[in-house]
Amino acid sequence: MLWMVAALAIGPVSATAAVDLRGAVIVVRPGVVPAPEKTAAVVLAEEIQKRTGLRLSIRSEFPADGPAIAISSVSQVGEWIRKVPAHQARAEGFRLLLEENPAHPVVWIAGADARGALYAVGQLLRRLDWSKGKLELAGPLDITTSPEFSIRGHQIGYRSTANSWDAWTIPQFEQYIRELAFFGINAIENIPAQDSRKNPLMKVPRREMTRAMGEICQRYGIDYWVWTPADVDLNDKAKRAELLAQFDTLFADAPRLAGIFVPGGDPGHNPPDLVMAFLEDLAPRMKSRHPEAKLWLSLQGFSKEKAEFVYAYLDRGVPAWFGGIVHGPSSPPIPETRSRLTAKAKLRLYPDLTHNKISQYEVPEWDQAYALTLGREAVNPRPYEYAAIHNRYAALSDGFISYSDGVHDDVNKALWSALSWNRGQDVRGVLVDYARVFFSPAIAEEAADGLLALERNWRGPLLGNGGVEATLLYWRGLEKKAPELAGNWRWQMHLLRANYDAFVRRRLMQDSRLEREANAVLARVERLGAEKAMTEATAILQQAVLAPAGAELKARITELCEQLFQSIGLQTSVEKYHASGAERGAVLDFVDNPLNNRWWLEDEFAKVRKMSDPGAQARRLVELARWESPGPGSFYDDIGHWARSPHVIRGLAPEDDEPLFWWWDQGKSRARLSWQVTMWPKEMRYDGLDPRARYLVRTTGYGQALLRVDGERITPTLDGKEIGQFKEFPVPASALSDGKLVLTWDKAGNEEHLNWRQRSRLSEVWLIRVNNQ
């Protein structure tokens, strides 16, 4: 539920000269102060020194003259000669005020509490104008603000699955947690035990890192959560007891826990009655060491009946140890869960900010060429898209802790953090703040636009998106303006994306042209003969290997991948950088993947060569050549491809239209590309058909396809069910009287028990004028 409304009050708007803070003293309260307030002063001094080279001193009294930055989480400090400004900030909020006295300016950091002081430091760092030897703050400045949601955090699980932070040291974790706090997060979620694979990159044992992360969170006043699945059979008493013992060790190791998130599924397949009974047994063990901690449960993978069991359990009374429900991927809809939960049960969102495909939030209008190369965990700034998603669901929740498996989604984390503080913030403004604090105030506006350009690179058909080349030129210009950022990992990540996107587009242009040329050769098989046609077509397709487009871009991509491994441990290759899996950000391993059907055609040629009948060989080669060009009066749609599905009617909600990019053979599938992306369209429409002609609908996909033509269910005359096999449906003559057709599909029956990978799907649709065959 909405917890507190962000208050924002800004003082007079008349412009004044910037205040020089180079000689400022950071003034802190004398005596014992809460850890987060003490940390706030250290963070401010250290971060200013990193950026400017200036080391501001920290004292407990104001200087006789000159600038000061005063930090307090209480309204009165008797030992100070200056009075702490009053404010109306609520819990975790603050007032950030610049008193512009010419001789003795003071920047006031007045936290509503110790956390508020830390968040005010983050806000100040986002507003300072700095460079080497320079530190200024523009006035007027008077901000009072409080967070809108009570839970604001990110999961940064120290496990082998991650694509970067499994290679980190304890100081690197502290630095990243600190930087997330710049944007107001109050929670960090670790993964202390799941995924026990040996990892050559890990510098710290997992148990030691679990303790260290808890200690870091304690210093910063950040809530420490853990994600701990019950992924054993809870009917097995021995395994259940072993799992409880593992929790006992965790509870003993962690200095302070705020939340324990036990996913109901993904992983885990226990029924809810066993899960709730397990939580009941776990609760007293937790409370004995962490009396303020709560247990949280997700309904991931739950059927309606299983979810109802949990709702009914909570209706009978919410236990004191129960924190609430976590909504993650494959959970019941957020509005349904919120409406069904009792008011005493909280709802935490678990948004997937890290994945681009096979994910909770697929990239809208994504080109398959990106899916084949950049894949599931590429660098993925998606600010406007995630802002829309956040603001669509946030008000139904008490906040969020995101799902993340690496630094590649860093922009998304900052954006989601900022919006959970105040949903009304301008998206580009957040990116400007991001660029000011992590790049340089001198190029903040331009860098923010560069990040937005990367988001636009991914929207719509890639062949027609000339903006991709403009984005590359733009980032090259930024490189020249800010050569000092060459070693900055965030800078390197986005340079990688700019170069990679352009490289993929150039290769796609080449591969598309080569496939057209190869098909033209195959179409002349009657004159050339099968063997010569295949030999010439193969030679054409091989030009992508012998003389690939964009060689200089590939060299730059390779260079940036190496730099990112050295700077932040980003693992862009399984073999070279020890990525935990091919789909875990290993973009370097797929940089040369064919973006046409070269692999499929090579395999088809091998089959054709085994045919003994020259006529059959010729017919098959013609079929291959004309696969997407069925002839005059006939039509072809590659359902999942935005540029090659002109008859697919897209819905109003983006999630209605996103195709599923399949992951086969560890990303090296040789199947036809159109079979590797599927979708059930809301409907397909055809106009201008000949009412006197006969038509049939042909499809490929997998499993069932329950087709309706103008609302009438049609029985297939050919019913192939495997990938690449055809189904054919005759179109009733009565449906053609107006020269129009509408195709829809019923939901496949009796598949609720199947894993989503085994369910029916649709990949291609032809409407074929029969007398053209």
Side-chain angles (χ1 to χ4, degrees):
M1 296 293 289
L2 196 62
W3 182 56
M4 55 176 66
V5 177
L8 181 63
I10 301 178
V13 296
S14 56
T16 59
V19 174
D20 189 343
L21 296 175
R22 284 177 296 176
V25 172
I26 299 173
V27 183
V28 298
R29 290 192 290 133
V32 178
V33 298
E37 185 176 344
K38 182 179 180 180
T39 299
V42 174
V43 167
L44 183 59
E46 290 180 352
E47 295 302 319
I48 286 174
Q49 185 174 21
K50 289 174 187 175
R51 288 160 174 77
T52 67
L54 304 170
R55 179 66 183 179
L56 305 190
S57 62
I58 302 175
R59 305 178 193 169
S60 60
E61 68 280 342
F62 279 83
D65 55 25
I69 304 173
I71 302 175
S72 176
S73 64
V74 298
S75 59
Q76 294 182 357
V77 183
E79 296 88 346
W80 284 357
I81 61 174
R82 305 290 289 264
K83 184 177 180 180
V84 179
H87 61 81
Q88 300 299 316
R90 293 180 290 278
E92 302 189 11
F94 58 84
R95 185 181 184 187
L96 181 60
L97 170 67
L98 173 60
E99 286 187 353
E100 299 182 73
N101 183 316
H104 193 22
V106 178
V107 179
W108 284 102
I109 293 175
D113 47 34
R115 277 182 175 177
L118 179 67
Y119 301 142
V121 164
Q123 180 68 233
L124 177 59
L125 288 169
R126 288 154 58 184
R127 290 179 172 269
L128 289 170
D129 187 7
W130 56 268
S131 60
K132 290 299 179 184
K134 174 185 175 181
L135 184 64
E136 295 180 351
L137 181 63
L141 177 62
D142 187 358
I143 297 173
T144 299
T145 182
S146 302
E148 197 170 349
F149 296 93
S150 60
I151 306 172
R152 310 178 306 279
H154 300 285
Q155 185 183 89
I156 50 174
Y158 186 61
R159 60 173 179 167
S160 294
T161 306
N163 66 31
S164 43
W165 44 60
D166 52 330
W168 286 6
T169 62
I170 293 171
Q172 283 179 299
F173 266 102
E174 177 167 4
Q175 183 64 34
Y176 196 58
I177 291 170
R178 170 187 292 190
E179 291 170 354
L180 291 174
F182 292 172
F183 290 86
I185 62 107
N186 67 358
I188 289 294
E189 188 167 77
N190 186 22
I191 300 176
Q194 194 266 350
D195 187 358
S196 58
R197 288 176 292 173
K198 291 185 178 180
N199 186 331
L201 299 176
M202 282 187 170
K203 301 175 178 66
V204 181
R206 292 185 74 183
R207 189 172 177 183
E208 181 181 341
M209 185 63 83
T210 295
R211 288 193 295 265
M213 289 179 70
E215 291 165 356
I216 293 167
C217 288
Q218 207 165 23
R219 289 198 298 275
Y220 285 74
I222 289 172
D223 291 340
Y224 187 41
W225 292 54
V226 289
W227 179 91
T228 50
D231 51 359
V232 302
D233 182 358
L234 294 177
N235 269 319
D236 186 318
K237 292 183 180 180
K239 291 182 178 179
R240 189 180 192 274
E242 183 181 354
L243 184 59
L244 285 170
Q246 290 174 7
F247 274 99
D248 288 339
T249 301
L250 169 63
F251 296 151
D253 284 350
R256 185 186 64 190
L257 285 174
I260 293 87
F261 168 25
V262 179
D266 192 21
H269 301 284
N270 289 292
D273 57 326
L274 293 181
V275 174
M276 298 311 296
F278 178 77
L279 296 184
E280 289 172 352
D281 288 349
L282 186 61
R285 295 166 179 258
M286 172 188 74
K287 287 293 185 180
S288 67
R289 290 183 177 272
H290 303 278
E292 302 301 318
K294 302 284 187 181
L295 289 167
W296 293 69
L297 174 70
S298 75
L299 308 181
Q300 290 171 264
F302 275 27
S303 65
K304 188 173 183 179
E305 291 74 22
K306 289 182 179 180
E308 187 57 37
F309 178 95
V310 177
Y311 299 147
Y313 178 98
L314 297 175
D315 285 345
R316 293 191 294 270
V318 179
W321 49 262
F322 190 77
I325 294 294
V326 176
H327 180 279
S330 303
S331 294
I334 294 172
E336 173 188 311
T337 301
R338 181 68 270 171
S339 65
R340 189 61 187 81
L341 285 178
T342 173
K344 293 183 179 180
K346 293 184 176 182
L347 177 61
R348 180 201 122 181
L349 304 183
Y350 183 40
D352 179 358
L353 306 185
T354 211
H355 292 139
N356 308 314
K357 65 173 188 173
I358 315 178
S359 62
Q360 186 179 21
Y361 303 117
E362 305 273 332
V363 178
E365 303 175 34
W366 215 31
D367 195 286
Q368 189 180 19
Y370 286 138
L372 292 167
T373 51
L374 285 165
R376 200 174 182 220
E377 284 186 10
V379 176
N380 65 344
R382 296 160 62 181
Y384 275 111
E385 179 193 347
Y386 274 125
I389 293 169
H390 176 278
N391 291 342
R392 187 183 308 157
Y393 298 119
L396 299 173
S397 76
D398 295 275
F400 82 99
I401 298 177
S402 75
Y403 170 55
S404 174
D405 256 327
V407 295
H408 63 286
D409 58 10
D410 188 65
V411 167
N412 303 333
K413 290 197 194 81
L415 189 280
W416 205 283
S417 303
L419 293 180
S420 71
W421 186 282
N422 175 8
R423 281 179 293 166
Q425 292 192 70
D426 173 67
V427 172
R428 184 177 179 275
V430 174
L431 298 184
V432 171
D433 278 2
Y434 179 92
R436 285 179 68 87
V437 75
F438 294 133
F439 298 150
S440 164
I443 60 164
E445 298 276 347
E446 294 169 280
D449 288 335
L451 295 172
L452 291 173
L454 291 175
E455 182 178 32
R456 289 192 296 272
N457 275 8
W458 279 8
R459 295 302 291 263
L462 180 55
L463 277 177
N465 188 357
V468 170
E469 291 287 345
T471 298
L472 175 62
L473 292 175
Y474 188 86
W475 275 95
R476 284 177 170 174
L478 289 177
E479 273 192 284
K480 292 179 180 178
K481 286 186 177 182
E484 71 279 6
L485 293 175
N488 181 308
W489 65 264
R490 290 180 170 93
W491 191 252
Q492 292 166 351
M493 284 201 312
H494 298 107
L495 285 173
L496 173 62
R497 259 291 309 284
N499 282 273
Y500 204 115
D501 289 0
F503 180 63
V504 172
R505 184 170 184 266
R506 292 184 192 180
R507 288 193 53 242
L508 179 61
M509 295 170 69
Q510 180 186 41
D511 281 7
S512 299
R513 173 180 57 80
L514 294 178
E515 185 169 358
R516 288 194 302 271
E517 293 175 3
N519 284 336
V521 169
L522 295 178
R524 299 198 302 271
V525 63
E526 295 290 353
R527 181 154 51 91
L528 297 174
E531 185 56 42
K532 186 175 182 180
M534 289 187 288
T535 300
E536 290 188 9
T538 299
I540 292 170
L541 295 170
Q542 281 297 311
Q543 292 178 30
V545 178
L546 300 175
E552 78 288 355
L553 288 176
K554 183 181 176 182
R556 181 64 172 137
I557 289 165
T558 303
E559 178 183 42
L560 286 165
C561 287
E562 173 65 24
Q563 291 175 4
L564 280 161
F565 182 68
Q566 298 299 331
S567 63
I568 202 63
L570 188 65
Q571 298 141 39
T572 55
S573 169
V574 173
E575 182 177 353
K576 192 173 183 180
Y577 300 124
H578 306 287
S580 65
E583 63 178 332
R584 295 292 180 176
V587 298
L588 194 58
D589 293 345
F590 300 96
V591 69
D592 292 321
N593 263 23
L595 302 178
N596 58 18
N597 288 297
R598 170 163 58 88
W599 283 350
W600 179 69
L601 286 171
E602 288 172 353
D603 293 346
E604 291 301 313
F605 292 167
K607 296 175 186 177
V608 169
R609 287 189 169 98
K610 293 179 180 179
M611 295 179 179
S612 57
D613 180 5
Q617 287 182 316
R619 287 192 295 273
R620 180 55 177 166
L621 292 179
V622 169
E623 184 178 40
L624 297 178
R626 296 177 179 172
W627 192 274
E628 298 181 13
S629 304
S634 299
F635 307 94
Y636 170 82
D637 285 76
D638 181 350
I639 296 299
H641 198 297
W642 281 74
R644 295 201 289 268
S645 53
H647 300 96
V648 173
I649 304 303
R650 309 288 174 179
L652 296 178
E655 59 267 27
D656 291 342
D657 300 324
E658 300 315 322
L660 178 58
F661 296 102
W662 291 88
W663 178 259
W664 298 335
D665 302 325
Q666 291 300 299
K668 297 290 185 179
S669 173
R670 298 177 68 88
R672 182 173 175 80
L673 297 187
S674 53
W675 301 341
Q676 297 183 47
V677 54
T678 62
M679 187 179 77
W680 289 108
K682 294 298 179 183
E683 62 179 51
M684 297 180 67
R685 295 179 189 171
Y686 299 85
D687 297 310
L689 303 177
D690 185 349
R692 301 164 297 178
R694 290 192 304 114
Y695 292 86
L696 66 83
V697 174
R698 177 182 291 163
T699 68
T700 61
Y702 177 80
Q704 306 175 60
L706 307 181
L707 174 67
R708 290 185 182 272
V709 175
D710 289 351
E712 178 185 349
R713 270 286 291 273
I714 306 298
T715 301
T717 55
L718 183 63
D719 196 16
K721 296 185 183 299
E722 298 301 319
I723 295 169
Q725 293 182 348
F726 292 140
K727 295 181 186 291
E728 291 186 351
F729 305 83
V731 176
S734 58
L736 293 161
S737 60
D738 60 355
K740 300 178 181 179
L741 283 182
V742 174
L743 307 185
T744 56
W745 283 265
D746 293 346
K747 184 177 180 180
N750 301 317
E751 293 192 341
E752 291 78 8
H753 65 289
L754 296 177
N755 180 278
W756 60 272
R757 294 176 178 84
Q758 278 76 52
R759 295 180 182 180
S760 298
R761 48 191 180 266
L762 183 70
S763 55
E764 298 169 293
V765 176
W766 292 260
L767 180 65
I768 297 176
R769 182 167 172 157
V770 175
N771 59 355
N772 280 344
Q773 289 187 305

